[in-house]
Amino acid sequence: MQNFEYCNKTKIIFGKETENRVGSEINAVLNEKQKDKRILLHHSGGSAVKSGLIERIKGYLKAENIEWAELTGVQPNPLLSLVKKGVEIAKNEKLEMVLAVGGGSVIDSAKAIAAGALDDGDIWDFFERKRTPQESLPIGTILTIPAAGSESSTSCVITNEEGPWKRGMHSPFNRPVFSILNPELTYTLPPYQTACGITDMMAHIMERYFTRELNVDVTDELCEGTLRAIIKNAKIIFNGGENNYAARAEIMWAGAIAHNGFLDTGRIGDWASHALDHELSALFDIAHGAGLAIIFPAWMRYIVSVCESDNAVMERLARFAEKVWGVNIGDNKNAALEGITLMEDFFKSMSMPVRFSDTNIDPARIPEMAKRVVHFGQIGNFRKLGENDAEAIYRLAAR
Amino acid sequence: MQNFEYCNKTKIIFGKETENRVGSEINAVLNEKQKDKRILLHHSGGSAVKSGLIERIKGYLKAENIEWAELTGVQPNPLLSLVKKGVEIAKNEKLEMVLAVGGGSVIDSAKAIAAGALDDGDIWDFFERKRTPQESLPIGTILTIPAAGSESSTSCVITNEEGPWKRGMHSPFNRPVFSILNPELTYTLPPYQTACGITDMMAHIMERYFTRELNVDVTDELCEGTLRAIIKNAKIIFNGGENNYAARAEIMWAGAIAHNGFLDTGRIGDWASHALDHELSALFDIAHGAGLAIIFPAWMRYIVSVCESDNAVMERLARFAEKVWGVNIGDNKNAALEGITLMEDFFKSMSMPVRFSDTNIDPARIPEMAKRVVHFGQIGNFRKLGENDAEAIYRLAAR
């Protein structure tokens, strides 16, 4: 096991009707910091408005004498231009906190605004790894899409439309001070978004699971168990259980667990698939979860093909097939391949794309994507990958 | 799933040689609070002195210009009298923080001192549930015995020798600001203490596992997986692996996970066995883990005997036997009983007592213990238990 540090200060408020606590939670934060009660209310302007959630939230804020400026228009793969607008508003209006209402895109946008609001330089520096945030406005969230795990993670991913570049920024300041998770708010999600979210949280666990680190039994078990619970409850939701509170609750909590940093304590995750997907999202505006459903099986098949004689790698792939997908291991390679097929079948059962041809991705741009993905150097840790490897993986995804 | 709140602010610093960071971690806490650098250094005065750990820690403190008062003499089942002494020292010398070096007893003693130092009333009020702490000195820990999980829990258990009463006090202020976990420090633990610790952490998970809450798949998986990992690595340690870093690391991290509050999010645990054991510890000074090795099988056998017709209960007991002990379920009752026997065999393999007759516990005092254990009313949630139930369980343990 690797040495590690773990500290996650996000207060999770989970369950039915919990969004009505948002005003008092914000007050608790601002009173402690002796701040004025003016916040940025940040959301997409779409479904949360239609459902009446935003109006209800405004009522909760008013009841606690909290004022707000409102910034809407967040899109999937949230844009730097909107972040810059948010930073400007936060600075001009001297806002004290950012409240994100939505999924990972809204929360990531809020995180970037919160960091930019207390910084005098170019916010994009943080994503180009030139500088790291030294402080941030406190962030609160009301989650409506279980997927990115942004509600208690250190991650923030923003797309700079000038590239376009999709880049991540990791900082302890990115952890929200509180996150409200009410599974009831997810009943009305379109099946596509539910499926993207489930794929995303599974990918977060798999990135952590595929490690070279030996003797990490506890976290191996936590990863496998959480994946099994996700698959079980996803099947319930996709078999008529859209309004099944228990299944929605399991998925919502699993989404946070998948990315709160707990499951990879002591291990070094892979993260090549996330990098490979970022290029799909940047160039073709593919939803993150959908891109991962395409990339992850291709990445695994590539690993099988190039690591066939590496016992440690093949054993881990076979173990994954056994523990998560119930494959009986005879031969490691066959078990690994069967596991990949079962995973792909599962993604397909939720109507996720699993090949470029299921989407608008143009295979002619594979060389360009392979070049872009190694912008910061080789990707991945389970196996280090260069431009040629990336191209081969994209080609497997384009079959 | 029950609504829940979860927030654990303890910073875990895990791995080899991490204790050398103690000075800088304390400085980070005190600088942020703009406090003077005078702390209470609290430990047993035993093995941590002999091993040279305390001397090394003093060196790390000096190097960071941190001054300390020292209070030693903590015993297993830590005593209120020493807590009161610590409170007096902390108040008189205006100490700003408590550093605990040791296992759960030292950390619990430190937690009580930290709460008492900022309170003008009788500290025992907190344990008699008359009042709750409103603040606390910050607590740092260097853990030397993986067992109680006190290093990141809200729990604190103290024995008032005037009764004697052993009582718990739960408060978010009990969570340490940081805890340093170096598995190397556990190589020299006597096998008995290693075994008590393993039993204790398993009991913490089992108390959470035995719930009436349905549809808690994620946390069911986390509990079962952590238990399997503990059992696997305990066997490694007890088969010549005393100095096996990987196994010691798994056990140490599992001990924290078992009691940091994460595994019971959304569920209501039982906790009758802990209450039943507290009477053994209070009257006969039995180590907590050893008492639990006696009580838990007896509690489970009693539950089987009185809940035979309750399908939900029998299914959970059978599932526990299957997932944790590898029992094939035919009939639920038989599977449950086989699981209990395997658990007992495992405790015995670590030389834990499993009956009163393995210890100095006098069965003549069973009626008295049964009366004492319901001091605050019925115990347990998986099944509510009164005085007669408690007596029956003690009698099973005395067979």
Side-chain angles (χ1 to χ4, degrees), chain A residues 116-174:
Chain A
L118 298 182
D119 181 75
D120 291 328
D122 180 356
I123 174 87
W124 192 246
D125 288 351
F126 298 148
F127 297 85
E128 280 292 339
R129 307 185 191 180
K130 290 177 184 166
R131 297 185 297 130
T132 53
Q134 299 305 305
E135 57 180 335
S136 186
L137 289 178
I139 302 148
T141 89
I142 296 176
L143 183 67
T144 61
I145 311 175
S150 190
E151 61 273 18
S152 61
S153 80
T154 57
S155 306
C156 166
V157 181
I158 296 293
T159 296
N160 180 343
E161 50 266 66
E162 285 179 16
W165 298 108
K166 184 174 177 180
R167 297 257 186 274
M169 178 257 284
H170 299 272
S171 162
F173 297 109
N174 280 340

Side-chain angles (χ1 to χ4, degrees), chain A residues 155-268:
Chain A
S155 306
C156 166
V157 181
I158 296 293
T159 296
N160 180 343
E161 50 266 66
E162 285 179 16
W165 298 108
K166 184 174 177 180
R167 297 257 186 274
M169 178 257 284
H170 299 272
S171 162
F173 297 109
N174 280 340
R175 293 214 204 259
V177 288
F178 70 80
S179 280
I180 293 174
L181 281 65
N182 176 358
E184 295 173 312
L185 299 180
T186 70
Y187 288 167
T188 53
L189 278 177
Y192 180 75
Q193 280 197 303
T194 298
C196 280
I198 287 165
T199 308
D200 192 11
M201 64 184 73
M202 289 176 69
H204 286 155
I205 301 174
M206 295 189 294
E207 296 279 25
R208 293 172 161 91
Y209 186 75
F210 289 107
T211 181
R212 293 275 181 167
E213 196 64 29
L214 300 174
N215 305 116
V216 279
D217 297 318
V218 173
T219 45
D220 275 348
E221 289 273 12
L222 299 183
C223 289
E224 291 160 355
T226 309
L227 282 168
R228 285 191 297 265
I230 291 171
I231 294 162
K232 175 183 170 184
N233 286 282
K235 287 178 179 171
I236 293 171
I237 292 171
F238 277 90
N239 284 283
E242 297 84 358
N243 295 348
N244 181 318
Y245 181 82
R248 290 288 193 181
E250 293 295 309
I251 292 294
M252 195 165 211
W253 189 212
I257 291 170
H259 206 40
N260 67 10
F262 198 72
L263 299 192
D264 57 349
T265 46
R267 45 205 295 152
I268 294 168

Side-chain angles (χ1 to χ4, degrees), chain B residues 82-150:
Chain B
L82 192 72
V83 167
K84 287 187 168 171
K85 204 165 158 186
V87 169
E88 200 187 322
I89 295 169
K91 284 181 174 175
N92 286 345
E93 302 197 23
K94 296 192 171 54
L95 304 179
E96 304 281 12
M97 184 164 176
V98 183
L99 175 65
V101 182
S105 298
V106 176
I107 298 172
D108 281 8
S109 185
K111 287 176 174 180
I113 292 169
L118 299 181
D119 182 74
D120 290 329
D122 180 356
I123 175 85
W124 191 246
D125 288 352
F126 297 148
F127 296 86
E128 279 292 338
R129 307 186 192 178
K130 291 179 184 166
R131 299 185 298 129
T132 53
Q134 299 305 304
E135 57 181 333
S136 187
L137 289 178
I139 302 148
T141 88
I142 297 176
L143 183 66
T144 60
I145 310 175
S150 191

Side-chain angles (χ1 to χ4, degrees), chain A residues 1-18 21 25 215-219 221-222 224-226 228-230 232-233 236 245-246 249-250 253-254 257 260 262-263 265 319, chain B residues 1-18 21 25 215-219 221-222 224-226 228-230 232-233 236 245-246 249-250 253-254 257 260 262-263 265 319:
Chain A
M1 198 192 297
Q2 296 278 321
N3 280 17
F4 68 86
E5 253 185 46
Y6 183 71
C7 186
N8 189 334
K9 297 193 176 187
T10 304
K11 177 180 180 179
I12 300 284
I13 301 154
F14 192 101
K16 293 178 182 174
E17 297 177 16
T18 43
R21 286 175 49 182
E25 292 297 328
N215 305 116
V216 279
D217 297 318
V218 173
T219 45
E221 289 273 12
L222 299 183
E224 291 160 355
T226 309
R228 285 191 297 265
I230 291 171
K232 175 183 170 184
N233 286 282
I236 293 171
Y245 181 82
E250 293 295 309
W253 189 212
I257 291 170
N260 67 10
F262 198 72
L263 299 192
T265 46
R319 176 177 168 152
Chain B
M1 199 193 293
Q2 296 278 322
N3 280 15
F4 68 85
E5 254 186 47
Y6 183 71
C7 185
N8 189 335
K9 298 192 175 186
T10 303
K11 177 180 181 181
I12 300 285
I13 302 153
F14 191 102
K16 294 177 184 176
E17 297 176 16
T18 43
R21 287 174 49 184
E25 292 297 328
N215 305 118
V216 279
D217 297 319
V218 173
T219 44
E221 289 273 13
L222 300 183
E224 290 159 356
T226 309
R228 284 190 297 264
I230 291 170
K232 176 183 169 184
N233 286 283
I236 294 171
Y245 181 82
E250 293 294 310
W253 190 211
I257 290 170
N260 67 10
F262 199 72
L263 299 193
T265 47
R319 175 176 168 153

Side-chain angles (χ1 to χ4, degrees), chain A residues 9-152:
Chain A
K9 297 193 176 187
T10 304
K11 177 180 180 179
I12 300 284
I13 301 154
F14 192 101
K16 293 178 182 174
E17 297 177 16
T18 43
E19 67 274 17
N20 62 21
R21 286 175 49 182
V22 65
S24 57
E25 292 297 328
I26 291 173
N27 264 344
V29 174
L30 297 182
N31 285 343
E32 194 187 332
K33 293 181 184 285
Q34 298 179 304
K35 298 285 190 183
D36 289 339
K37 295 178 182 175
R38 280 188 53 75
I39 69 164
L40 182 70
L41 173 59
H42 196 36
H43 58 98
S44 72
S47 53
V49 174
K50 278 188 215 118
S51 70
L53 176 62
I54 295 294
E55 271 314 298
R56 283 199 289 129
I57 288 168
K58 289 177 178 173
Y60 303 136
L61 297 178
K62 276 181 200 156
E64 297 280 341
N65 297 312
I66 297 160
E67 296 177 13
W68 66 88
E70 193 166 357
L71 179 65
T72 66
V74 187
Q75 302 166 21
N77 298 319
L79 297 177
L80 181 63
S81 53
L82 193 72
V83 167
K84 286 186 169 171
K85 205 165 158 185
V87 169
E88 201 185 323
I89 296 169
K91 284 180 174 173
N92 287 344
E93 303 198 24
K94 298 191 169 53
L95 303 179
E96 304 281 13
M97 184 164 175
V98 183
L99 175 66
V101 182
S105 297
V106 176
I107 298 172
D108 281 8
S109 185
K111 287 176 175 180
I113 292 169
L118 298 182
D119 181 75
D120 291 328
D122 180 356
I123 174 87
W124 192 246
D125 288 351
F126 298 148
F127 297 85
E128 280 292 339
R129 307 185 191 180
K130 290 177 184 166
R131 297 185 297 130
T132 53
Q134 299 305 305
E135 57 180 335
S136 186
L137 289 178
I139 302 148
T141 89
I142 296 176
L143 183 67
T144 61
I145 311 175
S150 190
E151 61 273 18
S152 61

